[in-house]
Amino acid sequence: MGVISDVLDWLSCPHCATALIADGAADAADAADPPSRLLCEEGHAFDIARPGYVSLLTGAGSAGTADTPAMVADRAAFLAAGHYAGIADLVAALAAESDRAVAEVAVAAEETAQQHGTCILDLGAGTGYYLARVLDAVDRPGIALDISKHAARHAAKAHPRIGAVVADAWGGLPVRGRAAAVVLNVFAPRNAHEMRRVLHPAGRAIVVVPEAGHLRELVEEYGLLAVDERKSERLREQFAGRFRVESEHPFRRTPTLSAEEVARVIGMGPNAWHAGAERVRSGGAVSIEVRAYVLSPQ
């Protein structure tokens, strides 16, 4: 079953919100094969895929918007080249600082590890790249949640403490309330209501969004989707009443990308649906401009 067992305490049934258990978990140690599905108290069952992820996507989910195998392959290859490593380092540092706040609250309250046990939740985790970097800095299990089963297949292998779950970020998350010490949201859908529900009261949400100048050279040359110049304002409006912006952290770099890398950065995100990466003939300097927000619950 991989590491799904490590995050079961924080998962819940997407149909009835009751706890999930591994089918036959009591006999798993003696069985030739590990459990192959999860069950809830009401009898809903969810198969664990052979690559190690579990799908908790209900019929109401919008699987048609999920990343395709080609998009996931482009993302995995581009991230492996290290061009977004600085973003991952920033997220990991912010997550470690936020995690310490939760630990300090638990110590002050003299709670046991069982009482204050929490995880790191990555909402819209993709291949698990950012979550894996955070788990290198934070000693907790992590849940990589994404609507794409192809992304979940990668995320399940990205780190020994990742449990990968297929679910719709826009719907009710199959995660218990107050489960997450840190909620990550990197270039992903932002469900403010659910993020607030699943976040520990002393925890933080770390949200990373592109700024107006992100990939500007490619936007101009290939007609890519432009970033809304009111992005920051809209983000604050979206989280108003549930979170306050505790701090902001801009990140800017201008690496030189090869033609192949330009095609991959186009093909790995929403632009894959609108622009043909096959048109790319040359590389060059490309602006990477993003901003990380640390949000505390209200």
Side-chain angles (χ1 to χ4, degrees):
M1 189 173 56
V3 294
I4 288 296
S5 57
D6 293 342
V7 300
L8 266 182
D9 286 347
W10 301 289
L11 297 179
S12 60
C13 176
H15 298 292
C16 60
T18 59
L20 294 174
I21 62 170
D23 187 22
D27 302 320
D30 300 322
D33 297 311
S36 60
R37 64 177 184 167
L38 304 181
L39 298 175
C40 79
E41 297 171 5
E42 298 297 323
H44 299 116
F46 308 93
D47 292 335
I48 300 169
R50 189 172 296 276
Y53 66 87
V54 62
S55 177
L56 300 181
L57 187 67
T58 67
S62 304
T65 64
D67 287 353
T68 65
M71 293 169 71
V72 172
D74 277 341
R75 180 176 292 113
F78 183 81
L79 293 175
H83 297 300
Y84 281 9
I87 301 174
D89 290 339
L90 173 61
V91 170
L94 295 174
E97 183 178 345
S98 299
D99 179 72
R100 284 193 292 271
V102 175
E104 289 170 1
V105 168
V107 170
E110 297 183 345
E111 293 180 341
T112 65
Q114 183 175 7
Q115 286 174 315
H116 77 265
T118 51
C119 65
I120 308 297
L121 172 64
D122 192 348
L123 185 59
T127 61
Y129 175 77
Y130 300 100
L131 180 56
R133 192 67 62 91
V134 168
L135 296 186
D136 283 340
V138 176
D139 187 20
R140 296 187 191 272
I143 298 174
L145 190 150
D146 200 280
I147 197 170
S148 169
K149 66 180 181 181
H150 309 293
R153 182 178 292 115
H154 276 259
K157 301 175 183 178
H159 194 281
R161 282 184 274 118
I162 286 180
V165 176
V166 177
D168 186 0
W170 290 118
L173 303 179
V175 178
R176 297 190 185 188
R178 302 164 56 104
V182 179
V183 174
L184 306 178
N185 186 257
V186 185
F187 307 126
R190 297 177 296 279
N191 185 333
H193 172 74
E194 284 294 276
M195 290 170 68
R196 178 65 184 87
R197 181 185 66 81
V198 302
L199 185 65
H200 186 281
R204 299 291 186 271
I206 298 171
V207 178
V208 180
V209 298
E211 297 207 283
H214 187 58
L215 307 182
R216 69 162 65 89
E217 297 85 359
L218 306 185
V219 170
E220 294 169 358
E221 184 169 355
Y222 298 105
L224 306 186
L225 298 172
V227 178
D228 186 353
E229 293 186 357
R230 295 181 58 247
K231 190 84 169 183
S232 177
E233 180 182 346
R234 292 177 56 231
L235 182 145
R236 290 171 182 274
E237 292 173 352
Q238 183 177 21
F239 286 101
R242 296 188 174 94
F243 292 90
R244 69 176 183 87
V245 176
E246 188 171 288
S247 60
E248 300 181 33
H249 306 267
F251 178 91
R252 294 180 174 85
R253 297 288 188 277
T254 309
T256 298
L257 305 183
S258 67
E260 184 178 31
E261 289 170 334
V262 168
R264 284 171 175 166
V265 79
I266 293 175
M268 74 184 200
N271 285 296
W273 304 103
H274 305 281
E278 68 277 359
R279 292 189 292 139
V280 175
R281 293 293 180 266
S282 62
V286 176
S287 300
I288 295 174
E289 297 187 9
V290 306
R291 185 172 296 261
Y293 295 83
V294 178
L295 309 179
S296 57
Q298 290 184 326

